[in-house]
Amino acid sequence: MNILIISYAFPPDMNSQAQHVYGLYRTLSKFANVDVLTSEKNNKIDDKNIFYSNLGKLHRINNNTNAVKNDGISVIKKNNKIYKLKSCLIPDSVIDWYKEAINYYEKSINKPYDLVIGIATPYTDLLIANKISRKIKKSFKKECKMILVYADPWYGEHSIRKSKLRKLVEIRMETKILKKANKIYMVTNNAKKFYINNYPFIKDKVDYYYLGHNFLPSETKLIQHNNKVKTINYYGTIQSVHRNPYIFFEALDDSKYVGNLKVNLYLTQHISHQKIIDKINESKNLKQIISIKSAVPYKDMIKLAQKCDYNLIFGNSSNLQIPGKLFDYIGLKSNIIYISNNQNSEIEQILKNYNSIIVDNQKKEIKQMFDSIMEDKISLSINENVCKEMYRDECYKKIANYIKNKNI
């Protein structure tokens, strides 16, 4: 069986989406011949099954601009014309990769795959998967099945303001590829229900599975932290339409936490982080408690996540998503703080089973949590069974068994 995975994100990218796709690649490779078509990276994995296509023209231009630095730390992206233009593109900012990926397949791969898997986000990956599966059918006169995997939902996505006309165009695009898909997977049960409600015709071919982690439960150990200064780490993008960190900062802005709590923010390049920097610099207390640092590669993030006392997650305003890093933290058997932004019973149930700290995004509750951490009043006992349940191979059984049993 020959499988091609289409994913813009893939290692050595440092995001959790890339690690999810890498885990899926490793799992399916145990019983099939799997290739991955991904976008160009600064470095490459030495693997003959991984194909790196050139970036689109807009991204090549944009990558030549320098990030603005604050105190020597690169945390924000220059707000240039290309950056603004990309936010207007349909279906997303990497549609300029579409032509590059198709051309690369035709010139450098050109295999008659039995199955093509498109990973979203970005949603452009789904369009590429659809186009390549059609090309295989036309060029090789054989049926090529297609699976769509939604890391993030396309329908109802609200990180970009969309006109009614754009929404209508995107709904028609998505409806078309959903009808052509043989199977559809969401990464939350909430998203599965949401899509069935909005696209009833997919009811019999949609399912869900969790992203999972890549750490063998038998190889990770519980680490006991007895530090006087308690460290709390956060990695990724902290300020967007999805999260509200300012209540957390307001609760932390207290002299009693200076010298007792240390918060490290490892931030990706994003224009909105300037407001975070300004907020911290305005406060004498926050400047002593919070350190802002540039994002680190995935492997370094894992090391940092193991060493700190707590790993922080800000709840998403949408209940259709679960942060991929949550599964990494579970796999590492680390202590987790979850700031609930909008009630999400699905993610909270996972965290309750794991035995993490869950607190509403309210100043009083967050301060009570800080006080308990500072005074060593929190005693966590990690549920290691959840670590096993969320291991990559366990989570990907649904998609792996479907492919095996359907004899694609």
Side-chain angles (χ1 to χ4, degrees):
M1 186 189 308
N2 297 308
I3 300 173
L4 177 64
I5 296 176
I6 310 293
S7 179
Y8 188 83
F10 198 79
D13 284 350
M14 63 180 72
N15 56 59
S16 54
Q17 166 81 342
Q19 299 306 315
H20 157 226
V21 182
Y22 183 66
L24 182 61
Y25 163 65
R26 293 287 297 273
T27 298
L28 300 184
S29 294
K30 292 180 179 180
F31 63 87
N33 301 314
V34 185
D35 291 337
V36 177
L37 175 56
T38 187
S39 59
E40 185 180 49
K41 320 293 180 189
N42 290 330
N43 299 301
K44 296 181 180 180
I45 294 176
D46 186 17
D47 187 330
K48 63 182 179 60
N49 298 105
I50 311 301
F51 298 93
Y52 295 91
S53 163
N54 289 336
L55 294 171
K57 186 174 182 179
L58 288 176
H59 281 73
R60 292 200 297 271
I61 295 173
N62 195 60
N63 283 358
N64 289 329
T65 62
N66 295 320
V68 177
K69 293 190 176 183
N70 184 291
D71 296 329
I73 300 170
S74 176
V75 294
I76 56 177
K77 203 170 196 176
K78 183 177 284 188
N79 191 5
N80 51 45
K81 292 180 181 179
I82 297 296
Y83 179 78
K84 290 181 178 179
L85 174 61
K86 290 196 300 178
S87 67
C88 301
L89 298 177
I90 298 175
D92 54 52
S93 64
V94 302
I95 188 63
D96 61 333
W97 186 53
Y98 179 89
K99 186 177 180 181
E100 296 288 347
I102 300 300
N103 288 341
Y104 188 93
Y105 167 78
E106 291 179 331
K107 295 177 181 179
S108 303
I109 304 177
N110 202 30
K111 292 182 183 179
Y113 292 99
D114 303 295
L115 170 66
V116 174
I117 302 175
I119 312 285
T121 56
Y123 315 118
T124 293
D125 291 356
L126 306 182
L127 303 182
I128 296 171
N130 180 51
K131 182 69 173 180
I132 289 179
S133 66
R134 287 164 52 201
K135 281 187 171 291
I136 290 171
K137 184 176 182 178
K138 182 177 180 180
S139 300
F140 297 97
K141 309 299 181 184
K142 65 167 290 183
E143 187 69 24
C144 177
K145 301 293 179 68
M146 180 173 67
I147 291 178
L148 306 180
V149 177
Y150 280 75
D152 288 317
W154 181 354
Y155 182 85
E157 189 264 346
H158 59 273
S159 64
I160 298 175
R161 292 182 181 179
K162 300 179 181 180
S163 66
K164 290 183 180 180
L165 178 60
R166 175 170 176 170
K167 288 179 181 178
L168 180 61
V169 169
E170 292 192 12
I171 288 172
R172 294 189 66 177
M173 291 172 68
E174 187 172 18
T175 299
K176 188 175 181 180
I177 60 173
L178 287 173
K179 287 182 177 179
K180 291 183 178 180
N182 298 92
K183 190 72 175 179
I184 302 156
Y185 287 96
M186 302 289 167
V187 295
T188 68
N189 193 25
N190 285 341
K192 171 190 170 182
K193 294 175 181 177
F194 177 77
Y195 260 67
I196 290 175
N197 186 53
N198 288 282
Y199 295 103
F201 63 87
I202 69 171
K203 181 179 179 181
D204 295 330
K205 59 180 180 180
V206 65
D207 205 341
Y208 80 99
Y209 68 87
Y210 291 134
L211 296 179
H213 62 81
N214 296 328
F215 310 103
L216 279 169
S218 60
E219 294 180 355
T220 53
K221 297 179 180 180
L222 287 167
I223 299 176
Q224 300 297 326
H225 298 283
N226 299 307
N227 307 316
K228 179 185 176 183
V229 179
K230 305 299 181 183
T231 56
I232 301 172
N233 285 4
Y234 179 87
Y235 317 89
T237 303
I238 198 173
Q239 171 60 14
S240 69
V241 295
H242 297 300
R243 302 172 183 88
N244 177 13
Y246 291 101
I247 299 175
F248 178 89
F249 294 141
E250 289 171 7
L252 191 61
D253 192 356
D254 193 319
S255 60
K256 68 179 178 181
Y257 301 133
V258 176
N260 291 301
L261 297 179
K262 184 66 177 176
V263 176
N264 299 305
L265 306 178
Y266 294 88
L267 302 180
T268 56
Q269 294 178 4
H270 199 281
I271 190 68
S272 64
H273 289 152
Q274 185 61 56
K275 293 181 180 179
I276 298 290
I277 295 170
D278 293 341
K279 174 71 175 178
I280 293 168
N281 286 336
E282 290 169 1
S283 167
K284 179 181 177 181
N285 295 323
L286 293 181
K287 283 195 292 186
Q288 296 179 77
I289 298 170
I290 300 175
S291 294
I292 301 179
K293 306 178 182 182
S294 295
V296 295
Y298 180 79
K299 289 182 179 179
D300 294 335
M301 185 205 80
I302 294 306
K303 293 177 182 178
L304 292 166
Q306 287 180 300
K307 291 179 180 179
C308 70
D309 296 291
Y310 298 92
N311 288 297
L312 174 65
I313 295 176
F314 286 99
N316 204 310
S317 59
S318 169
N319 67 353
L320 305 181
Q321 299 164 305
I322 294 179
K325 291 184 179 68
L326 177 146
F327 299 104
D328 290 326
Y329 302 157
I330 289 175
L332 294 171
K333 301 174 184 174
S334 68
N335 295 326
I336 301 171
I337 295 174
Y338 177 71
I339 309 294
S340 179
N341 185 31
N342 184 31
Q343 188 173 15
N344 185 337
S345 58
E346 186 172 9
I347 187 173
E348 289 181 15
Q349 189 58 56
I350 294 172
L351 289 167
K352 284 177 182 177
N353 291 342
Y354 178 71
N355 195 23
S356 65
I357 299 172
I358 302 174
V359 59
D360 287 338
N361 199 19
Q362 297 180 14
K363 184 175 179 179
K364 182 179 179 181
E365 290 195 25
I366 296 174
K367 284 189 74 69
Q368 288 175 347
M369 175 194 68
F370 287 149
D371 291 343
S372 297
I373 289 174
M374 187 176 67
E375 297 167 8
D376 281 325
K377 291 182 178 180
I378 293 180
S379 178
L380 297 178
S381 178
I382 301 304
N383 184 350
E384 296 195 47
N385 287 329
V386 177
C387 303
K388 296 176 182 177
E389 292 169 4
M390 294 300 165
Y391 179 55
R392 177 188 63 209
D393 288 359
E394 290 297 316
C395 290
Y396 299 170
K397 276 183 178 179
K398 280 186 180 180
I399 186 170
N401 290 339
Y402 171 80
I403 294 172
K404 288 179 182 177
N405 296 335
K406 288 292 182 178
N407 296 315
I408 293 174

